[in-house]
Amino acid sequence: MTTTDRLLTVEEAAERLGTGTRFIRRLIAERRIRYVKLGKPVRVPESALAAYIAERTVPTAAETRAARYGKAV
């Protein structure tokens, strides 16, 4: 997390992912996403959301095929 990394509320993080707040709270409870605890309130760094999305992005068939056969795309 950088010093310029914006901290999002649970509601803002849910809106960014297009999910409900319950899903974000479950990710936090299961420690599947980084978060910052400021006393009782919890915040999610924007970079943590970006990393979560990047880790779960499925490659296209063309990317998979190229890697599988060692051909250039």
Side-chain angles (χ1 to χ4, degrees), residues 1-69:
M1 185 173 102
T2 64
T3 56
T4 59
D5 200 5
R6 185 161 177 260
L7 297 176
L8 305 172
T9 64
V10 171
E11 292 77 16
E12 291 171 331
E15 187 176 323
R16 292 264 174 105
L17 290 182
T19 66
T21 58
R22 190 174 183 181
F23 177 71
I24 300 297
R25 291 190 188 283
R26 191 173 81 226
L27 291 178
I28 291 168
E30 295 173 357
R31 295 184 183 227
R32 292 171 44 202
I33 194 168
R34 281 187 306 116
Y35 63 94
V36 178
K37 190 156 172 83
L38 304 168
K40 188 173 182 176
V42 174
R43 300 290 185 260
V44 179
E46 282 183 323
S47 61
L49 280 184
Y52 181 80
I53 292 167
E55 290 169 3
R56 284 152 184 81
T57 300
V58 179
T60 64
E63 292 171 336
T64 305
R65 195 176 318 114
R68 192 166 143 201
Y69 296 112

